[in-house]
Amino acid sequence: MPYTRAAPAPLVPAGPAAPPVLPPAPAPASPVPTAGADAPAGPPAPARLPNGDPMLATRVRPPHPPAAAFLHRDRLLGRLDAAALGPVTLVNGPAGAGKTLLVADWLARGRLPGPAGWLTLEPSDNQPGTFWAYVREALQTGVAGLPAEVGAPARAEHVEPSLLLRLAAWINARPRPTVLVLDECEHLDNLRLAEQLHDLVRHTDGRLRLVLVGRSEPLLPLHRYRAAGELAEIRAGELALNRAETAAVLERHGLRVGPAAVGAVHHALSGWTAGVRLLALAAQEADDPEAYLGRIDAGPTALSDFLLAEVLRTQPAPTQDLLLRCSLLGRVHPDLADALTGRRDGRRILDRLHQDNAFTDALPDGWYRLHPMFAGILRLHLRAAAPERVDELRVRAAHWLAGHGQYRAALDHAAEAGAWALAARLLVDEFALGELLAGRDATRLCALFARMPPTEHSPAAELVRAAVHLTRDEAASALTILEHVEPLLPADRTALQLAAVLVRTGAARLLGSAPLADRAARRAGELEHRVPADLPERHPELLTLMAADLGSTLLWHGRLDEACRALERAARAPVSPTTARLRHDALCRLALVDHLRGWPGRAERRVRQADEEADRSSLPPESRTEVRDLVLAATALERDEPAEAGAALHRTTGGRAPDHDPVVTLGTGVVRAGLLLAQGRPDSALRLLDETRRHGLADRTSDWSRERLAVTACAAHLAAGRPAAAVAALDDVPLRAPDSLVVAARARLAAGRDEQDTLAGLRALRDDPAVGSATRTRALLLLAQAAAEHDGPDSARLLAEALAAAEPERLRRPFRESAPWVRRRLRALPHLARAHGWLPADLRPPARDPAPERRPDAGTAAGPTARTSARAATGTTAEPLPAAGAPVEPLTGREREILLCAARLLSTQEIADELYVSPNTVKTHLKSVNRKLRTANRRDAVRTATRLRLLDAP
């Protein structure tokens, strides 16, 4: 229902105004220049922001601690002295803890290691250009000597990286460290800005001493600073006054009282600096200050009585009415105050309260803030005097805030008032339902809407309730609600329609349902042209979450190309705290696809990229996706590193509930089974696979999941020496993935079935450029073994190709799977074993293993002539390589570098990126290599160079 202004009844009776008790606000003191030899002698030159607005000089100068009642806290000043020896200091505590004045006093007393700049942050500083313009001005004001060549941002929304590099170079060149204080850093919630600030700290290598002052932790990667020993912290516990300091504050207010009164104050306020000062002001008016303070621990009434009697009731009735109504708000705008009172005097009253120092502060953006303790007491009084008006006032506030672009505050007030239909509508209409499912505020929003009563049945409330079910992995319940409410949604309400798509994609992911995912994708495509243009900027998590859920569902069904497209959209989402985990998860699932396609090296690189993104986003390790460690475990298994694989698996949570993400459940079961196979326990692996099938996945199956389980079971039977059972494990299971086809081929060859067709299939896989290195290595090994069984001349060549394919990524597992044959074959080919020292030692012959005696009657029935010819054809004789194999001229250093990258199966673009050259340069060098080696393509060039030992380390 739209909000209409009404004139509510006053909450306090009209009466004569009493004179104010508080003294008038003192005249502002002149700013104190920053200590240090390089401090400026006069005020800074006028400066302007990138958008043309003038800079506020007061924001780049520290506040002046009051001379009379301020307590110099030597113990904390000493902590700051020591902290400033490192690059980052965090001073963190609640409102009124004395953070700002502590750091200002430290600067004013000249105890810092070098000249300092000060900047008081505001919400408007979250634009990069504005922020760095103010940082530049703060350094120019407090440090001086900043050259014009450093430059200044030209646009509010952007800053050139080169400017930050020049700023870092200037800081590094200064003779003394530079201190930069950022006060109220809780306003810094732009992730890109935090990354830039972190880069500045990193590039100045300790020459910049950053002091962060605020009520909450900034987005900087504090966990990395802690781990590196580069962070000093002064927290609320240290900021709290101790008993002696409490006594000193009271004394500075003219209250010399005994230990009992001091103890009562200290116990009641727990060292809260602002509270002790307020209480001291109250005690000054008491007939017996000591008795007044001694009774304070009996309850909050003493202080509240003072504030109500000496601050509230001395005000005119309209002012009292406004204060009580606005006490429900953390911050109040004059127009919002008018909406709550029904009058038009809000600006005049708030400005006068601020001028009279009546516990009301004017904020730079036109808003006002009541002192938290004063506001809390007013709220208690409001609830006692007019409890029936509290919810009405919150709803009024919610309507006003929503109409002025502050939906989060509006939502909180609506929920507190029990106006759940309004709260749910605010969340959905803002396209912010994704915030409940992902992002930094998800836990709070889930807890908030968990209180929504089941009797609330508006369309928005039902969609929010379905989303809450998704957060509990209750996909079936969410889908039941959706099927009931979706036909009732107005076709022209895009926000409701898009929220329904979001719930459907989330349910599809948890249930592993491709039909649900396809239906959601079609509906999303229909709504695409109706989505607000600024939605990716306002709420990037919504579309990112839909893409991530769709990609995971398609992955579950083995539709890897479609899954990659969806996951890549999620991975390219705008950088934001609400998208950090989604982007990390999408990158890790793309790494899983790389692994499934047989590219473990690519998968590992993708995981590293995901970790870098998570670090830049300050994503805590415990909130990162389990897929990351599953990929790392699978990669470690391919390298025959079971200890590393076990450690990675241990980091995953394992043991999922039936409704958990099926991709993670399946991946956990398959990788754990692979580890058991690596440990020589095939029957344990089979039992684990059966447990995963029957309990972990229950009714959520797909052709792809059946394929992964069957192929792993087939490998287990092969490891146990049961080829017939291995073939039977694949009955009625569709095999589409190349690695599945290789395992199936291995089982058929071991069982003596379909040999010619199987070998033809392996040759096709070997020659397919899309097949990954792990899959190609296994196909080559099987072909080599088949050739050896028939005493074919290509066995050694195929083994050499398998080793060349595996070497760049150290894929030892395929050779471990064929260990007996590989061991025997490498004994006959010692030069090949020596060229591949990365293989496990037990697969290679001893270093001094004598050459086998050549007897005419040894070996296969093919006879000595055939065997001698085969060895000659595969390079197993002691004669030197034929001259035709040598290059026509030596390879250059750059050609060798490019050939080494080609041996790692990097694409032309990937080689260019790694060597910092253009793709055309790579192609030119490869043509030269082919000419010198007399080969036709890069694959043949790598094979020839490997055989000629041209790629060996010098």
Side-chain angles (χ1 to χ4, degrees), residues 437-570:
L437 296 168
R440 296 170 60 176
D441 209 28
T443 302
R444 187 187 69 83
L445 287 173
C446 286
L448 186 73
F449 281 101
R451 294 160 33 203
M452 185 168 60
T455 53
E456 184 57 62
H457 294 301
S458 68
E462 293 284 23
L463 290 170
V464 172
R465 184 177 290 114
V468 172
H469 279 298
L470 288 182
T471 66
R472 300 168 179 165
D473 295 338
E474 298 168 353
S477 299
L479 200 57
T480 299
I481 294 173
L482 184 63
E483 296 296 345
H484 168 72
V485 75
E486 198 169 26
L488 307 177
L489 300 180
D492 59 344
R493 292 284 301 280
T494 304
L496 289 171
Q497 296 286 345
L498 207 58
V501 173
L502 180 65
V503 172
R504 189 173 300 281
T505 55
R509 177 180 65 84
L510 292 175
L511 295 173
S513 171
L516 278 177
D518 289 337
R519 178 178 168 186
R522 285 194 301 271
R523 186 57 181 148
E526 295 167 0
L527 295 171
E528 185 175 1
H529 69 284
R530 292 163 50 183
V531 172
D534 63 344
L535 180 59
E537 180 180 350
R538 284 164 47 203
H539 293 289
E541 73 284 342
L542 180 68
L543 300 179
T544 307
L545 187 57
M546 290 170 57
D549 285 346
L550 177 62
S552 185
T553 307
L554 295 172
L555 172 58
W556 172 246
H557 285 271
R559 294 157 61 177
L560 300 188
D561 291 338
E562 296 171 80
C564 279
R565 287 193 289 272
L567 292 170
E568 284 166 355
R569 287 200 303 274

Side-chain angles (χ1 to χ4, degrees), residues 325-502:
R325 293 174 186 271
C326 293
S327 66
L328 297 170
L329 310 169
R331 300 163 73 244
V332 59
H333 191 276
D335 294 343
L336 174 54
D338 290 346
L340 296 183
T341 63
R343 305 190 303 270
R344 296 184 178 274
D345 54 5
R347 187 176 302 278
R348 176 180 58 80
I349 290 176
L350 289 168
D351 185 61
R352 184 181 61 78
L353 287 170
H354 170 65
Q355 296 299 325
D356 291 346
N357 199 24
F359 301 106
T360 305
D361 297 325
L363 303 176
D365 53 0
W367 288 65
Y368 292 80
R369 177 174 55 203
L370 300 183
H371 189 283
M373 189 173 187
F374 184 36
I377 292 171
L378 290 176
R379 283 194 294 273
L380 291 174
H381 186 66
L382 174 63
R383 290 190 178 98
E388 72 284 357
R389 307 294 293 277
V390 173
D391 289 347
E392 173 199 338
L393 289 170
R394 287 197 180 278
V395 171
R396 283 174 172 267
H399 280 293
W400 189 94
L401 290 165
H404 290 77
Q406 301 195 33
Y407 96 93
R408 288 182 177 85
L411 187 152
D412 289 340
H413 283 293
E416 286 297 320
W420 293 107
L422 173 60
R425 180 163 57 83
L426 287 170
L427 186 71
V428 172
D429 284 356
E430 179 61 23
F431 295 90
L433 187 61
E435 289 194 0
L436 188 147
L437 296 168
R440 296 170 60 176
D441 209 28
T443 302
R444 187 187 69 83
L445 287 173
C446 286
L448 186 73
F449 281 101
R451 294 160 33 203
M452 185 168 60
T455 53
E456 184 57 62
H457 294 301
S458 68
E462 293 284 23
L463 290 170
V464 172
R465 184 177 290 114
V468 172
H469 279 298
L470 288 182
T471 66
R472 300 168 179 165
D473 295 338
E474 298 168 353
S477 299
L479 200 57
T480 299
I481 294 173
L482 184 63
E483 296 296 345
H484 168 72
V485 75
E486 198 169 26
L488 307 177
L489 300 180
D492 59 344
R493 292 284 301 280
T494 304
L496 289 171
Q497 296 286 345
L498 207 58
V501 173
L502 180 65

Side-chain angles (χ1 to χ4, degrees), residues 47-55 130 153-156:
R48 290 190 174 274
L49 293 169
N51 64 4
D53 291 342
M55 289 189 180
T130 302
R155 292 185 293 159

